[in-house]
Amino acid sequence: MIARGKTALAALLLAAGPAIAADTSAVSDKFKWLTFLVFGAIIGLTMYVTYLAAKRVKSASQFYAAGRSVSGIQNGWAIAGDYLSAASFLGIAGLISLYGYDGFMYSVGWLVAYITVLLVIAEPCRNIGKYTLGDILAFRNNPKSAKTVAAISTITVSIFYLTAQMVGGGVLVKTLVGIDYEISVIVVGVLMLAYVLFGGMVATTWVQIIKAVLLVAASILLVAFTWAPYGFSLPGFLQAAVDSVNIQGQVTKLLGDAAKNMSAQELGQRFLEPGLYLKNPIDQISLGMALVLGTAGMPHILMRFFTVPTAKDARVSVIWAMGIIGGFYVLTLFLGLGSAINVGQAEITRIDKGGNMAGPLLAQFLGGGAESMLGNLFLAFVAAVAFATIVAVVAGLVLASASAMSHDIYVGVVKGEHATQEEEVRAARISSIIVGILAIIIGILAKGQNVAHLVALAFAVAASSNLPCVLLTLYWRRCNTGGIVAGMIVGGLSAIALVLVSPNMTYPVMVKAAQAKIIAGADEKLIALNSDLGAATDPAAQDKIKTAIAALEKTRTTAQDTVAKLGDATTSIVGLDKPLFELKNPGLISIPLGFLAVIIGSLLYRDKRADDMWDELYVRQNTGINAEGATAH
Amino acid sequence: MAAKPMDWIAIDQDPRFQALHAKKSRFLWGLMILSIVYYFALPIGAAYFTDVFKIKLWGPINVGLVFALSEFIVAWGIAWVYARRANTEFDTMAAEINRAASSIGGTK
């Protein structure tokens, strides 16, 4: 089976050859082979690990939980590998390179989130859980109802997150090496499916560990090269950022008229102060809540705690994960600023508007630049790490949703817990194929869509539905089936509904008005520039004006294209002219609603089992008596 | 693994379990509130106390940068404090209850 997987992959990679497009990819054609060599090496390594894992994966415990024999340290690395998506690897470095301080501040919540996981979620879940979120909720609540809502929520959250990863991955591979978007998505999908299908949690864990080690190694190396010229002095490095012409220029651009009376030093220093990117503090608090409570409700993160032998190992794994994840975010400060100083925002945004190429371009610069062999080797390495990142995160997500389908729905609800090991593993594999193919199809259909808000939405849904249910079933005696079902539905739906009426959606009337303003402004300036051009006699001045005219004309065409793309549409997909809800992140409203629904649902519903099982649940979650043990292999 | 039948109500009411529960609850929720308050102080400070964040302390390093970096230190600090207490105190108490579990209240 493995051999067949490899051949299919080779065929795909060969098929990718002729499809390579030469447009704005970061690697020049001359060095593409180098990129493929590094990609090939990493794919080969992960396939070998999958081959070894496939021999071990025979039981449900092996497939879902790697036989609970992953050590705490290994699991810590795997959590980091599962969690640090391309958005955090490339996206945060990009935000720092374009907006300075605000990008760094944005990264903090992603680490603080693990405090919740460590203190109130990881160990109790390890003590009472088996394979899925559904198992935790089914402990004292009606198993069929609890597993049904848990599975629906797991699949919803995972699909939102998965879509963002697939689209992001497709765009990323296309930008880095120029492979067509659709082929990138299929390659990511097929690889991930091979890991999950043949190697289950064992292979997924190792792929995540390999990815995390590569990511950390690459980051340390890049930071060492970036920081060394300043003698590893923090004030020295930051002073270089303040002195950087690139950064001063970027701040001038961001501040507009407000920058007129500022000195060069003031402009540079402004980059290290808040307010260039995050303008709405209420929205930030709303996102912060979704992160701090949502991470602990992410099914693919929860699932990782079932892979270790004891609750103590779960604790060790979160501590390691926090060290790795936090250390990585501190490094991104250097990557982002280093890229701004050395590469410059003009070049970073030329290849990708969102700044995602800040890290890879810094690697290319440090190795000697776009025309050097070493520079392209560095870039190829970072590109391959980014690719491994997407595949590892996607594999974790697919495994989580496949487990919800097979373990919760098929075995738990349809078969009433009566299934043999073989039947359960077969169901899990079939579910993996379904989810994997679904991921590829969604990835291709969502091409060109703005999916960035889906990551925030996934966290918001997890924070509003999964987390209140898990937390209250673990710590509140009166919590019962009525509360779980109400909380899942109200929390999840309110988060989704609020996003559908939020500024994240496209409102054609508003977009058209904004673009019309841009076009009118450009027209006005063009008239002024053309008269200047007529008056200018000096050829240097004429050239300068001509460049400005060309830039304005480009802005004008882009605005016209945006309007043309909208066609006759006048309302957003839910039929609105303008947002009903002003926040981009729904957490501030939907999280309290989720908690409230669990509380009210529990108080209104009578459930003797939930009440009877409370003592057992509370004793077991605190002591680990009768916890699922590791299986021999 | 065949689960051993236990008298869960008796274990819950056992003074050793009640002591573990009381100590853990106070400690965990205290740390949780501390970490949430400290985390949200960052975006709130950046938005409403911007002038304080801009005060330079050491060359270009300002209050805002030190505060943001301190978020990492505080998060790691909380994790370390919790792990130390759990490794020494809570684990020992839980192990003690675990050992005695089948004899508490007599097996059913």
Side-chain angles (χ1 to χ4, degrees):
Chain A
M1 286 242 275
I2 288 286
R4 218 188 317 148
K6 266 190 186 163
T7 328
L9 187 75
L12 268 175
L13 285 178
L14 283 178
I20 293 167
D23 51 334
T24 52
S25 71
V27 186
S28 64
D29 285 337
K30 204 166 58 175
F31 292 107
K32 286 262 157 73
W33 62 271
L34 204 58
T35 313
F36 286 113
L37 202 71
V38 182
F39 269 58
I42 291 181
I43 292 172
L45 177 65
T46 53
M47 276 296 160
Y48 178 65
V49 167
T50 307
Y51 169 73
L52 293 180
K55 293 185 189 169
R56 267 174 60 187
V57 179
K58 301 274 188 296
S59 65
S61 163
Q62 289 286 355
F63 190 90
Y64 295 128
R68 307 189 203 285
S69 56
V70 177
S71 78
I73 297 175
Q74 287 168 344
N75 198 38
W77 283 92
I79 292 170
D82 205 3
Y83 188 65
L84 294 170
S85 63
S88 39
F89 172 32
L90 302 173
I92 292 179
L95 283 180
I96 295 173
S97 77
L98 298 182
Y99 306 103
Y101 183 83
D102 279 6
F104 185 50
M105 189 165 87
Y106 177 78
S107 73
V108 172
W110 300 82
L111 171 70
V112 174
Y114 276 87
I115 298 276
T116 320
V117 179
L118 175 70
L119 296 180
V120 292
I121 296 295
E123 294 174 52
C125 286
R126 174 61 189 84
N127 275 336
I128 66 153
K130 202 173 172 196
Y131 303 132
T132 60
L133 170 69
D135 287 330
I136 299 166
L137 296 181
F139 193 97
R140 55 192 281 238
N141 302 298
N142 178 297
K144 286 195 179 179
S145 315
K147 285 192 167 182
T148 307
V149 286
I152 293 171
S153 181
T154 297
I155 294 167
T156 310
V157 170
S158 300
I159 293 284
F160 285 151
Y161 205 49
L162 201 58
T163 306
Q165 295 297 318
M166 292 302 275
V167 175
V171 172
L172 182 77
V173 176
K174 182 173 161 31
T175 317
L176 280 168
V177 288
I179 300 176
D180 272 356
Y181 174 86
E182 285 82 0
I183 292 168
S184 309
V185 168
I186 294 172
V187 171
V188 169
V190 169
L191 262 181
M192 155 278 285
L193 199 53
Y195 304 141
V196 175
L197 195 58
F198 301 116
M201 182 54 105
V202 182
T204 304
T205 301
W206 281 105
V207 169
Q208 288 168 345
I209 293 174
I210 291 172
K211 166 264 172 116
V213 170
L214 287 173
L215 181 59
V216 169
S219 306
I220 290 177
L221 200 71
L222 291 182
V223 170
F225 276 99
T226 310
W227 202 4
Y230 311 98
F232 296 104
S233 143
L234 184 60
F237 176 70
L238 293 173
Q239 190 56 50
V242 173
D243 294 338
S244 157
V245 181
N246 289 335
I247 287 177
Q248 291 164 357
Q250 173 73 1
V251 174
T252 311
K253 209 175 123 194
L254 289 171
L255 290 179
D257 291 341
K260 270 184 186 148
N261 298 320
M262 290 169 77
S263 72
Q265 282 294 308
E266 281 170 344
L267 286 170
Q269 185 68 33
R270 184 69 187 77
F271 204 62
L272 304 178
E273 294 165 358
L276 291 178
Y277 177 63
L278 303 164
K279 313 261 179 197
N280 184 347
I282 308 292
D283 225 339
Q284 262 178 274
I285 291 168
S286 197
L287 173 68
M289 282 177 70
L291 289 179
V292 169
L293 298 174
T295 304
M298 277 299 197
H300 67 297
I301 299 292
L302 273 180
M303 213 178 159
R304 289 238 51 94
F305 296 111
F306 304 127
T307 65
V308 290
T310 65
K312 187 172 180 176
D313 296 298
R315 180 190 312 149
V316 172
S317 48
V318 190
I319 303 279
W320 272 85
M322 285 181 71
I324 299 162
I325 294 166
F328 173 77
Y329 286 137
V330 173
L331 293 181
T332 52
L333 176 66
F334 292 89
L335 296 182
L337 290 180
S339 192
I341 297 169
N342 295 312
V343 181
Q345 287 85 355
E347 179 65 11
I348 295 169
T349 49
R350 185 182 69 83
I351 297 187
D352 179 84
K353 258 193 196 160
N356 282 323
M357 289 303 121
L361 287 175
L362 177 66
Q364 194 181 38
F365 167 84
L366 292 173
E371 287 309 311
S372 73
M373 177 88 171
L374 191 63
N376 283 285
L377 184 67
F378 272 31
L379 176 59
F381 184 60
V382 171
V385 172
F387 179 73
T389 290
I390 295 157
V391 177
V393 174
V394 170
L397 290 164
V398 167
L399 190 58
S401 4
S403 308
M405 271 168 89
S406 59
H407 181 71
D408 293 337
I409 297 290
Y410 178 73
V411 177
V413 178
V414 178
K415 301 277 280 182
E417 306 290 347
H418 298 294
T420 62
Q421 290 283 328
E422 289 75 32
E423 278 176 328
E424 175 139 23
V425 174
R426 185 157 12 98
R429 291 205 154 114
I430 293 170
S431 306
S432 307
I433 297 177
I434 296 172
V435 181
I437 291 174
L438 206 64
I440 296 174
I441 294 171
I442 292 176
I444 291 174
L445 289 180
K447 180 183 179 178
Q449 298 294 312
N450 174 13
V451 292
H453 61 273
L454 282 179
V455 172
L457 178 59
F459 277 91
V461 172
S464 314
S465 58
N466 299 353
L467 194 270
C469 292
V470 173
L471 202 62
L472 292 174
T473 204
L474 286 174
Y475 294 95
W476 188 41
R477 180 185 285 269
R478 295 288 301 271
C479 182
N480 61 33
T481 314
I484 300 301
V485 173
M488 281 287 188
I489 294 171
V490 172
L493 287 185
S494 64
I496 296 170
L498 286 172
V499 166
L500 282 176
V501 299
S502 76
N504 294 308
M505 298 292 123
T506 305
Y507 297 91
V509 177
M510 291 173 72
V511 176
K512 281 175 188 167
Q515 298 300 330
K517 219 173 167 184
I518 293 173
I519 295 170
D523 283 344
E524 207 173 286
K525 277 188 197 156
L526 276 173
I527 295 169
L529 280 173
N530 277 320
S531 68
D532 284 354
L533 188 62
T537 44
D538 176 21
Q542 279 181 345
D543 281 348
K544 211 175 158 191
I545 296 169
K546 274 180 191 159
T547 327
I549 291 176
L552 267 176
E553 274 171 350
K554 205 179 153 202
T555 314
R556 202 170 171 277
T557 332
T558 320
Q560 280 167 338
D561 286 349
T562 313
V563 173
K565 248 193 232 165
L566 290 171
D568 299 331
T570 54
T571 57
S572 74
I573 53 170
V574 288
L576 289 173
D577 294 333
K578 58 182 175 46
L580 281 181
F581 180 66
E582 284 309 320
L583 295 182
K584 284 184 180 166
N585 297 289
L588 199 62
I589 310 289
S590 63
I591 296 170
L593 278 180
F595 274 101
L596 206 63
V598 181
I599 293 169
I600 294 173
S602 299
L603 293 176
L604 292 178
Y605 188 80
R606 296 238 166 271
D607 185 354
K608 191 165 178 317
R609 184 170 180 265
D611 206 33
D612 289 346
M613 294 287 286
W614 164 254
D615 290 303
E616 177 174 353
L617 176 133
Y618 198 68
V619 168
R620 284 178 59 173
Q621 67 113 321
N622 276 296
T623 59
I625 300 173
N626 286 354
E628 295 278 334
T631 52
H633 48 268
Chain B
M1 189 179 77
K4 284 171 275 175
M6 300 277 174
D7 186 345
W8 300 108
I9 298 171
I11 301 174
D12 190 5
Q13 282 159 1
D14 190 273
R16 284 167 290 188
F17 184 78
Q18 286 298 321
L20 173 66
H21 159 73
K23 274 195 178 160
K24 243 176 117 172
S25 302
R26 217 174 311 129
F27 185 61
L28 288 189
W29 295 110
L31 281 184
M32 191 74 223
I33 290 166
L34 173 75
S35 76
I36 286 180
V37 168
Y38 198 74
Y39 167 55
F40 284 109
L42 181 70
I44 292 171
Y48 301 105
F49 300 93
T50 320
D51 289 339
V52 180
F53 270 45
K54 289 181 176 179
I55 297 170
K56 287 205 249 178
L57 296 174
W58 183 25
I61 299 175
N62 56 30
V63 173
L65 278 169
V66 172
F67 196 8
L69 282 169
S70 79
E71 290 279 347
F72 289 85
I73 310 293
V74 168
W76 285 325
I78 288 174
W80 184 76
V81 166
Y82 166 71
R84 218 174 64 129
R85 183 98 188 257
N87 286 339
T88 52
E89 205 175 338
F90 302 151
D91 280 356
T92 324
M93 292 172 85
E96 168 63 25
I97 297 162
N98 215 327
R99 258 195 307 278
S102 43
S103 59
I104 298 173
T107 46
K108 274 184 188 171

